[in-house]
Amino acid sequence: MASTTDTGIRDDAVSRWFTEHVDDATGPFRFERIAGGRSNLTYLVQGPSARWVLRRPPLGMAHSRAHDVLREAEVLDRLRNTPVPTPLIVGTCDDDAVTGAPFFVMNHLDGVVLRDPDTVTATVPVDRRPAVAAELVRALATLHAVDPRDVGWGGLADRDDYLARQLRRWSTNWAQDRVRVLDDIGRAHDRLLERLPRQGSARIVHGDFRLDNCLFAPDGTIGGILDWELTTVGDPLADLGQLLAYWAQLDDEVCALENPPTRVPGFPTRDDLVEQYLAAVRPDTVPDIDFYIAYNWWKIACIVEGVYTRMLRGAMGASDRSPESFGAQAERLAAQAWRYASRL
């Protein structure tokens, strides 16, 4: 089995922690990195009679605010008694001595993550793909129906500067931790800042909502929405814009993902998703969706550029892609962000 340097898991120490802190957990335990995420690292933990999922920050970034796994666990706990489908937290560890970083453990959910076209083709017949999209929109509307005050976020519920804060946060992250300058990121940021829309009622914003961050149960429903590390309270339309930016269509020349799962026949269009979402949430006025799409192209460019930087520094462990491929992808995304922002 790989060393901690390669995997981010100290097998013996984490095994002892499981035995001491997770109800009914008995060893031996096997730890396997789950492919997909490029931010916090995710592992399948297999015991003799049970399975769990463990999340920890990237290597070398144990206390980065952008990768605060204990905050992610807190978000999931807040949503435990809401209709939002989420995994259940079974334990958290703030002791770096165990495996070099904080981590949390959640229950393992059965189902499939529709991460790429091959998975979609193998598991979702063409005539079922509209239902998958409708379920995704329903889950997003369910999240946005939760009043932040009901889950202990009353202090943030009265703020109306979410987009300005997000622009400042991602721009600062990019400027302070980068290995190069992408002019399109800077230009898009400035245009977005000039065109900020007025925020409506604050709601819980997932921050990374897309098809491959949801786990679909065998009955076609979403068993759990995943990857809550960027969640806060703010403008819910930011989530819709992100879903649309990631929702690749067959004729798209630029995609937010290298191998997007929706780029196969049978899925509805982005316009269809907007129509379904607005029908579910019934806003008082029709929002300017174009701004939120442009904002999310910019944010995704910042995220991928951050992955490129971390990979160059060896903070992501083993990967099936080279740092250079992420660098080229970030350049394409930055150019796409400026194309959308320049039209606002």
Side-chain angles (χ1 to χ4, degrees), residues 20-282:
E20 295 170 1
H21 294 90
V22 177
D23 291 343
D24 302 322
T26 58
F29 301 99
R30 183 166 57 88
F31 303 93
E32 178 184 349
R33 171 85 181 274
I34 298 175
R38 305 293 181 182
S39 51
N40 288 332
L41 306 182
T42 307
Y43 304 83
L44 174 65
V45 183
Q46 177 74 60
S49 59
R51 291 184 291 177
W52 303 267
V53 174
L54 182 151
R55 294 264 284 172
R56 60 147 292 163
L59 306 181
M61 302 185 71
H63 298 287
S64 168
R65 180 176 179 270
H67 302 280
D68 187 348
V69 294
L70 298 184
R71 182 182 178 280
E72 184 177 0
E74 178 192 355
V75 169
L76 288 168
D77 261 343
R78 287 178 184 270
L79 295 172
R80 179 188 293 263
N81 295 316
T82 72
V84 181
T86 60
L88 297 177
I89 299 298
V90 299
T92 60
C93 177
D94 61 2
D95 183 1
D96 289 7
V98 177
T99 196
F103 63 87
F104 73 86
V105 177
M106 51 190 168
N107 68 321
H108 179 272
L109 299 173
D110 290 327
V112 61
V113 174
L114 301 175
R115 201 174 300 284
D116 52 51
D118 288 345
T119 304
V120 172
T121 301
T123 59
V124 184
V126 174
D127 62 351
R128 289 288 301 161
R129 291 171 195 170
V132 165
E135 173 68 4
L136 190 65
V137 172
R138 185 199 65 79
L140 184 59
T142 298
L143 171 64
H144 293 165
V146 175
D147 191 326
R149 298 169 183 84
D150 293 340
V151 293
W153 268 323
L156 294 175
D158 294 328
R159 299 188 65 172
D160 60 1
D161 61 345
Y162 171 79
L163 289 168
R165 285 185 285 124
Q166 289 292 299
L167 286 168
R168 183 168 57 251
R169 173 189 174 183
W170 288 104
S171 182
T172 299
N173 287 350
W174 170 67
Q176 292 182 346
D177 185 29
R178 65 187 180 189
V179 293
R180 61 180 178 175
V181 174
L182 293 181
D183 290 338
D184 284 334
I185 287 182
R187 291 196 296 172
H189 166 271
D190 293 345
R191 178 60 59 86
L192 291 166
L193 196 58
E194 293 172 356
R195 302 290 193 271
L196 283 175
R198 184 174 181 177
Q199 180 178 313
S201 298
R203 282 293 184 261
I204 299 169
V205 179
H206 179 276
D208 197 14
F209 191 84
R210 61 188 204 240
L211 180 63
D212 59 312
N213 271 343
C214 294
L215 186 143
F216 282 82
D219 65 358
T221 62
I222 292 178
I225 302 172
L226 311 175
D227 289 4
W228 294 84
E229 67 201 71
L230 300 177
T231 300
T232 186
V233 175
D235 192 334
L237 291 172
D239 273 344
L240 177 62
Q242 181 142 27
L243 174 60
L244 298 173
Y246 277 115
W247 193 266
Q249 298 178 176
L250 287 171
D251 58 349
D252 286 345
E253 294 183 3
V254 178
C255 299
L257 298 171
E258 283 291 282
N259 198 23
T262 58
R263 209 173 187 186
V264 292
F267 281 119
T269 66
R270 287 185 287 267
D271 288 343
D272 293 330
L273 299 188
V274 172
E275 183 178 342
Q276 292 176 27
Y277 176 83
L278 295 179
V281 301
R282 299 182 180 275

Side-chain angles (χ1 to χ4, degrees), residues 321-343:
R321 289 179 55 189
S322 68
E324 292 75 19
S325 72
F326 282 101
Q329 182 185 5
E331 292 173 11
R332 294 193 298 273
L333 293 170
Q336 182 82 333
W338 172 240
R339 276 193 290 272
Y340 272 82
S342 65
R343 301 171 188 162

